[in-house]
Amino acid sequence: MLLICGTIPKDDFPLAVGPVSFDGASLLLNGAAIPCTQGTAALASAACEVAEYLGAERPHALLVGDRGTGKGSRLLYEHLIKNLSSLSPGVVVLHYMLPIMGLMKKVCQSVEKCRRRPVMIADAAAMYAAKAAGLAPQFDIFTPDHSEMAFLADPEASHPAYVSRHLFESDGAMIPELALASYKQRGAAIMLVIKGATDYIVEYGKVIGQISEPDIPALEAIGGTGDTISGMLGAFIQAGFPFADAALLTARVNRLAGQYARATPATKIREIIAAIPAVLKDHVNKENLSSLSERSMLNDRN
Amino acid sequence: MRMKTNNKTSIDGEGLILFNNVEEALYGEKVLKAAGYEAKLVAPPPELRKGCDLAVEINLVEKTGIERLLKEKMADCLEIVPVKGKGSLLEVVRVTDFGEAVMVKAGNMKLTFDKKSGTIVNISGGGCPDIPSLHADLLDKKLSEAVRPKEKGYTLCSLMLDRAFVESLDLWKNHRKE
C-alpha cells in the first residue's frame, strides 16, 4: 500500500485515512471531496492517476485539516506514531505538516518497528523536519526544489528561510555540488529527486540522471508541480519500479504533462494532473513495464 | 484562533525569543502556552544573550504566528532568533519575467502575478501547512487588494511568501507608472 500523509487547508476536516481517488477536480476520501489545489491533495491526485493507469491498488491517504496552527499536524504525527506498524504500508510519502522535530523522530522510531520497513519518501515540511532533526539518512528519497536543495546543503539552517545567502544564490549548475555536500553532512536522503530547470536524480551524493526536456519554464511558477512529482514517484515505486527508474520516469512525465496542458504561469495544478493519463498512455507501455522498454525516454544522457 | 493542545513534548524547536527583562519573559511564556504553543523558559546561550538572561524556547518555524500573538497580547520581546546559524532571515529575492507574468522568489516561496492586472495567478513552493490555505486565499486576488500573507499565516514559509508578496506589489506599482 502507498500511504500519503499530509494536511489539507480546512480547519474542520477530521483526521481520516482510507483509499483515495481523483475525479478530475477533487480528491475523494471517505465520501469527502477535497479541492485539488497545491499541496497534499495535488500529490495524492497525481498518485491516483499513475496507480489507475498501471492498474495498481488505489493509494491510501492519511489526511487532516490544518491551516497552519499545527493542531492537525500533531494529530497526524501521533496517529502515524501509534499506527504505522499496523497500517503496514509498502511506501510512505510524508508531505505538508508543521515541522516538529521531536515528533518526526518518533515517526522514524515507529518505522523501525514495522515488520517490513516501508520505503520512506519526504517532501515539503516533512523533509524540513527530517533534515533539521538529523534524520535525513533514515529516508530513502527526498524531493527538493533548488532552493530546498540549498537548505539541505546548509548544515546550520533549520528551515529554508534561514539558508545562507551564498547557497540560495548558487545557480542550477551548482546542484551536483550541493547534493554531494548535503549527503556528506547527513542532510540528504539516500536518493534526491531535485526539481528545477534541469531535474537531477542523485543517489548517495552522486548524480545518476538528468532530465531537462521538454523544457517548460512555466512549471516552476505553478503551485503543485513538485507535489505531483512526489505523488507519481510514490505510485511508481509502490508498483515495483526501481527507485532510479521511477525517479527518471516521474520527472519526464511531469514535464510532458506540462507540455500536454500547454502550461503557462497561470495554469492550475489540476490541469497538469488531468494531462497525466494521456502522457502515460502515449509514453509508458504498461504491457512491458518490467523491462521498461521506454528506457530511452528516461534519461537525457542515455 | 489557535487551539490549545495537551501535548507535553519538551520542545526541540531551534528557536528562542529574547526579552528585555525576566517579567516580560515570564509573561511571554504564559501567553504562548495559553494559546497552545509549545514553549519553555530557558537560559539563552551567551552568544545569543540580549536583554535578560531568560528566554523562551519555541518551534522556530512558528515564528510568524507567535510574533502576531505576542503583539496582540502586548507581550514585548526583543527578537526571535534561531539557536543555530546566522540570526537573520534570508532577505534576497529573485525575479523571473515570463512576459505576461512575473514570478518573484523569496527563499522557498514563489509568487507569480499578471503584469497587466496585478492579479496573483500562482503561488508555488513551501511546505508548511499554512501555504495551501494562503494559496487558496490569495489566488486570483489583486495584489493591491489582498491581505498580506504574514497577517494570516503562522510559519516561516508564510513569512517568505510575505517577502515575495511585498516585492511583487512594489514591482507591479512601478510597472504601472511606466
Side-chain angles (χ1 to χ4, degrees), chain A residues 7-9 37-40 66-71 73-74 78 95-103 105-106 124-126 128 132 145-148 154-156 158-165 168-171 217-225 264-269, chain B residues 1-5 7 9 12-14 36-38 59-63 80-82 84-90 92-94 96 98 101 103 105-110 112 121-133 135-137 139-140 152 154-157 160:
Chain A
T7 57
I8 58 168
T37 55
Q38 180 239 25
T40 304
D66 190 340
R67 295 171 68 93
T69 64
K71 186 190 174 206
S73 297
R74 287 184 169 83
E78 296 292 353
H95 200 222
Y96 272 76
M97 56 189 72
L98 192 73
I100 303 173
M101 288 178 274
L103 293 175
K105 284 176 186 168
K106 290 184 179 178
Y128 306 168
D145 64 15
H146 283 192
S147 65
E148 290 169 332
D154 188 330
E156 303 225 297
S158 59
H159 187 278
Y162 282 97
V163 74
S164 295
R165 180 175 178 151
F168 177 76
E169 290 185 323
S170 59
D171 62 20
L219 283 179
E220 189 182 2
I222 301 168
T225 48
T264 73
T267 298
K268 304 299 179 270
I269 192 61
Chain B
M1 177 72 185
R2 191 185 167 82
M3 301 297 291
K4 195 168 183 174
T5 69
N7 196 304
T9 310
D12 179 15
E14 300 285 338
Y37 283 102
E38 288 182 38
N59 186 355
L60 181 63
V61 77
E62 297 181 296
K63 174 182 163 85
I80 297 178
V81 295
K84 288 191 297 186
K86 62 184 181 58
S88 55
L89 285 160
L90 190 63
V92 62
V93 297
R94 275 184 166 177
T96 303
F98 285 109
M103 179 176 73
K105 180 177 181 178
N108 56 337
M109 294 304 311
K110 289 158 260 187
T112 303
V121 296
N122 247 312
I123 291 169
S124 64
C128 291
D130 48 355
I131 294 305
S133 176
H135 180 271
D137 286 348
L139 214 59
D140 300 327
K152 296 183 84 172
Y154 293 87
T155 69
L156 288 170
C157 285
M160 289 293 98

Side-chain angles (χ1 to χ4, degrees), chain B residues 65-132:
Chain B
I66 284 173
E67 280 182 331
R68 188 169 61 239
L69 176 70
L70 292 177
K71 192 175 175 185
E72 284 169 5
K73 299 293 182 184
M74 290 182 284
D76 294 328
C77 72
L78 284 170
E79 62 180 317
I80 297 178
V81 295
V83 174
K84 288 191 297 186
K86 62 184 181 58
S88 55
L89 285 160
L90 190 63
E91 298 282 352
V92 62
V93 297
R94 275 184 166 177
V95 177
T96 303
D97 191 336
F98 285 109
E100 291 182 353
V102 170
M103 179 176 73
V104 176
K105 180 177 181 178
N108 56 337
M109 294 304 311
K110 289 158 260 187
L111 185 151
T112 303
F113 65 93
D114 180 83
K115 274 187 193 172
K116 277 187 188 168
S117 64
T119 301
I120 299 167
V121 296
N122 247 312
I123 291 169
S124 64
C128 291
D130 48 355
I131 294 305

Side-chain angles (χ1 to χ4, degrees), chain A residues 206-243:
Chain A
K206 292 182 179 172
V207 175
I208 60 167
Q210 296 180 41
I211 300 284
S212 53
E213 297 294 336
D215 181 24
I216 316 287
L219 283 179
E220 189 182 2
I222 301 168
T225 48
D227 307 324
T228 51
I229 284 183
S230 300
M232 288 193 286
L233 183 63
F236 280 124
I237 291 173
Q238 178 61 40
F241 281 64
F243 290 5

Side-chain angles (χ1 to χ4, degrees), chain A residues 2-256:
Chain A
L2 165 61
L3 179 65
I4 294 161
C5 308
T7 57
I8 58 168
K10 287 183 171 184
D11 281 331
D12 57 352
F13 191 89
L15 188 93
V17 62
V20 284
S21 58
F22 176 57
D23 71 358
S26 300
L27 182 74
L28 307 175
L29 170 61
N30 296 346
I34 302 156
C36 178
T37 55
Q38 180 239 25
T40 304
L43 185 154
S45 298
C48 287
E49 294 291 27
V50 170
E52 184 171 342
Y53 178 74
L54 297 178
E57 179 191 10
R58 283 160 66 190
H60 283 56
L62 170 59
L63 302 179
V64 65
D66 190 340
R67 295 171 68 93
T69 64
K71 186 190 174 206
S73 297
R74 287 184 169 83
L75 292 174
L76 191 154
Y77 280 112
E78 296 292 353
H79 187 87
L80 263 182
I81 292 162
K82 285 180 187 162
N83 299 296
L84 190 60
S85 182
S86 61
L87 287 167
S88 190
V91 179
V92 176
V93 183
L94 301 178
H95 200 222
Y96 272 76
M97 56 189 72
L98 192 73
I100 303 173
M101 288 178 274
L103 293 175
M104 186 57 83
K105 284 176 186 168
K106 290 184 179 178
V107 169
C108 287
Q109 288 165 3
S110 294
V111 169
E112 296 309 316
K113 290 176 188 166
C114 289
R115 190 170 54 84
R116 184 174 58 109
R117 186 186 180 281
V119 175
M120 295 297 294
I121 301 173
D123 186 15
M127 177 176 69
Y128 306 168
K131 183 265 184 179
L135 300 166
Q138 298 186 36
F139 283 76
D140 298 285
I141 307 178
F142 281 172
T143 54
D145 64 15
H146 283 192
S147 65
E148 290 169 332
M149 193 58 248
F151 160 67
L152 297 179
D154 188 330
E156 303 225 297
S158 59
H159 187 278
Y162 282 97
V163 74
S164 295
R165 180 175 178 151
H166 76 280
L167 291 173
F168 177 76
E169 290 185 323
S170 59
D171 62 20
M174 291 287 292
I175 290 296
E177 290 170 45
L178 295 180
L180 181 59
S182 67
Y183 180 72
K184 285 182 174 175
Q185 292 158 189
R186 300 174 63 78
I190 293 167
M191 177 173 281
L192 300 171
V193 179
I194 306 164
K195 308 158 278 193
T198 295
D199 300 322
Y200 289 88
I201 316 300
V202 176
E203 194 172 41
Y204 298 109
K206 292 182 179 172
V207 175
I208 60 167
Q210 296 180 41
I211 300 284
S212 53
E213 297 294 336
D215 181 24
I216 316 287
L219 283 179
E220 189 182 2
I222 301 168
T225 48
D227 307 324
T228 51
I229 284 183
S230 300
M232 288 193 286
L233 183 63
F236 280 124
I237 291 173
Q238 178 61 40
F241 281 64
F243 290 5
D245 288 347
L248 291 161
L249 186 56
T250 293
R252 184 75 87 192
V253 169
N254 208 49
R255 287 167 177 271
L256 286 166

